Amino acid sequence: MSKEALNEAAAPAAAAGQSLFPTYARYPLALVKGEGSWLWDDKGNKYLDFMSGIAVTNLGHAPKQVKEALVKQLDELWHVSNLFQIPNQADAAKLITDNSCADAVFFCNSGAEANEAAIKLARRYNQKVLNNGRYEVITFQQSFHGRTLATLTATGQDKVKEGFAPLPEGFVTIPFNDLAALKATISERTAAVMLEMVQAEGGIHPVEASFIAGVAALCEEQGVLLIVDEIQTGIGRTGKLFAYEHFGIEPDIFTMAKGLGSGFPVGAMAAKEKLREGFTAGSHGSTFGGTPIATAAVKATLETIVGERLSERAAKQGQYLIAELREKLAGNDFVLDVRGLGLIVGIECAEPIADILNEAQERGLIALSAGPNVIRLLPNLLVTDEEIDQAVAILTELLAAKRQ
Ligand SMILES: *Cc1c(COP(=O)(O)O)cnc(C)c1O
């Protein structure tokens, strides 16, 4: 299209996002307002949100406590360099260390950056503190760790790597839940093993308890760092503040983002005491990481989730959601499995489900996929029984139409 034609078409073109890179297959909906579990589009239609911005709005949309903290901070100070003390950042870090196995926290702005920090820390600790030159990071098939060059290399899915060669060296991907494969792969090069407790983007596959226990024991025995990616599973969603708590293990390093700021963009990497000296002044950093505003959101989010015991609520509501789905979908041969942990729930179907998500939107329910055949449900932690009943009713009806 010529520049003039583009300008003439400016208003509708802007709405259709003509000035954006086509990096997302976007739905036509333009959502303009959110409150709790509900969203409204620009035509005034109302939707029940079982996507939560992909596990971001764990407290629902526009939660009062976080909004008040942000408004207060907006009045006081927006940004200051990390060359100064940032009280909110120190408080937010303490909330993380007080409520986890970690002792030190680094703030950044996204999940990929949190995983980058974890990978860099694992390498630097081995190379500068232990002086053993180890660099390799072992990850798993179907995992997802982000879109930067290092984190897409760590990701165990080819589709995120296509066209981006050459990829950084030092990553090996092996089958998930396969301890023998891990035993065979760990070597004197191995710095770390990195994994999710529930592979979320990869199709809602929880880690097997015996496997993760074996991984933790093997890492300990071989002097390999264990990195847990809690970016989607963390901040109460699976029924614990962090999903590793379900399995009686303690990672050396874990990463957070998505739910950490209730929608304000923020990520963090947390690690055990021994790793503190892996990062010295000037070895890593971020202009925006942990600003007063971002960490006001983190503080209010964590205080609410810990203070109101919302992890326990997520466990209870997740059990109810899974039980209702299993009961209502029993006997439907289009549905192969219903599984999950807390409020990360997957419905595995016999065929691709993209059309079901479109139909669900038409019925007022927003959900997403996890791979082609799995419907992924990620309601907020405050979701009510009635809201779960509504979502289950819509999905049951749509899935009944697919019975073979
Ligand atoms: C979303 C996600 C990431 C990447 O986070 P971004 O904020 O999109 O960079 C990494 N790991 C997991 C498990 C995720 O779900």
Side-chain angles (χ1 to χ4, degrees):
M1 218 192 276
S2 71
K3 194 96 188 168
E4 296 81 74
L6 269 175
N7 283 342
E8 258 172 53
Q18 292 290 314
S19 303
L20 294 168
F21 269 105
T23 42
Y24 307 98
R26 293 177 197 267
Y27 293 111
L29 289 190
L31 299 163
V32 295
K33 182 180 150 59
E35 199 185 305
S37 301
W38 297 88
L39 286 164
W40 285 262
D41 69 15
D42 55 356
K43 300 181 183 73
N45 299 311
K46 189 178 171 187
Y47 301 86
L48 180 54
D49 183 11
F50 268 47
M51 180 191 286
S52 303
I54 314 194
V56 169
T57 53
N58 283 7
L59 291 174
H61 292 282
K64 192 167 158 280
Q65 304 91 322
V66 183
K67 181 183 153 185
E68 280 170 3
L70 283 171
V71 168
K72 179 170 173 284
Q73 193 58 50
L74 280 170
D75 272 338
E76 290 170 5
L77 178 66
W78 293 16
H79 179 85
V80 62
S81 161
N82 274 308
L83 295 172
F84 296 91
Q85 303 292 324
I86 302 177
N88 279 355
Q89 194 181 114
D91 293 350
K94 187 162 188 309
L95 275 164
I96 292 170
T97 58
D98 281 352
N99 290 287
S100 75
C101 66
D103 302 294
V105 180
F106 173 83
F107 284 100
C108 53
N109 313 286
S110 69
E113 273 181 81
N115 283 339
E116 282 275 343
I119 294 163
K120 285 181 70 177
L121 179 62
R123 284 191 176 176
R124 203 170 189 283
Y125 173 72
N126 276 285
Q127 294 176 29
K128 290 287 199 184
V129 178
L130 302 181
N131 295 306
N132 61 16
R134 290 181 178 217
Y135 60 88
E136 198 170 80
V137 178
I138 299 174
T139 65
F140 296 89
Q141 289 167 8
Q142 296 307 120
S143 62
F144 184 81
H145 297 299
R147 302 285 194 163
T148 61
L149 280 171
T151 59
L152 74 82
T153 306
T155 293
Q157 303 187 45
D158 289 340
K159 65 180 183 195
V160 307
K161 307 186 189 195
E162 281 162 16
F164 296 120
L167 300 180
E169 285 174 35
F171 293 87
V172 193
T173 304
I174 60 173
F176 191 49
N177 283 329
D178 182 343
L179 200 59
L182 181 62
K183 270 187 192 145
T185 309
I186 287 184
S187 73
E188 71 287 347
R189 292 184 301 277
T190 312
V193 172
M194 176 154 97
L195 77 171
E196 298 153 86
M197 296 295 94
V198 181
Q199 288 191 333
E201 303 295 319
I204 316 297
H205 296 291
V207 72
E208 282 168 15
S210 60
F211 173 71
I212 186 59
V215 173
L218 202 56
C219 284
E220 171 93 49
E221 178 194 308
Q222 303 278 329
V224 168
L225 297 169
L226 177 58
I227 305 174
V228 173
D229 179 339
E230 293 272 5
I231 292 163
Q232 191 150 164
T233 50
I235 326 301
R237 175 157 292 280
T238 68
K240 302 276 185 191
L241 189 58
F242 300 107
Y244 72 78
E245 296 168 50
H246 289 284
F247 302 99
I249 59 144
E250 290 195 350
D252 298 294
I253 303 174
F254 65 92
T255 53
M256 297 146 267
K258 294 198 163 89
L260 186 59
S262 295
F264 196 94
V266 58
M269 182 275 297
K272 293 204 160 215
E273 187 58 43
K274 68 177 180 190
L275 285 142
R276 196 188 293 269
E277 52 180 334
F279 275 165
T280 50
S283 60
H284 190 53
S286 162
T287 299
F288 289 125
T291 65
I293 300 179
T295 44
V298 175
K299 264 175 77 173
T301 299
L302 290 175
E303 277 165 0
T304 306
I305 287 179
V306 172
E308 297 181 12
R309 305 169 81 94
L310 296 182
S311 309
E312 286 166 37
R313 190 187 157 86
K316 198 169 131 283
Q317 296 310 87
Q319 273 165 18
Y320 180 65
L321 173 57
I322 290 178
E324 283 299 297
L325 285 169
R326 286 192 177 145
E327 187 191 316
K328 300 285 171 4
L329 296 172
N332 183 332
D333 58 5
F334 184 74
V335 176
L336 304 182
D337 194 19
V338 176
R339 58 176 177 259
L341 189 61
L343 288 170
I344 294 195
V345 175
I347 306 171
E348 185 175 344
C349 297
E351 285 169 28
I353 51 86
D355 58 328
I356 299 177
L357 297 181
N358 288 319
E359 289 159 17
Q361 276 181 21
E362 282 162 24
R363 305 276 190 98
L365 173 68
I366 293 179
L368 77 160
S369 61
N373 291 13
V374 178
I375 299 172
R376 175 170 26 165
L377 303 176
L378 302 166
N380 70 73
L381 277 47
L382 292 157
V383 69
T384 64
D385 288 0
E386 294 71 37
E387 288 163 350
I388 289 175
D389 293 343
Q390 285 180 48
V392 170
I394 292 169
L395 290 167
T396 305
E397 224 180 284
L398 293 174
L399 288 163
K402 301 281 172 187
R403 282 170 88 136
Q404 283 148 359

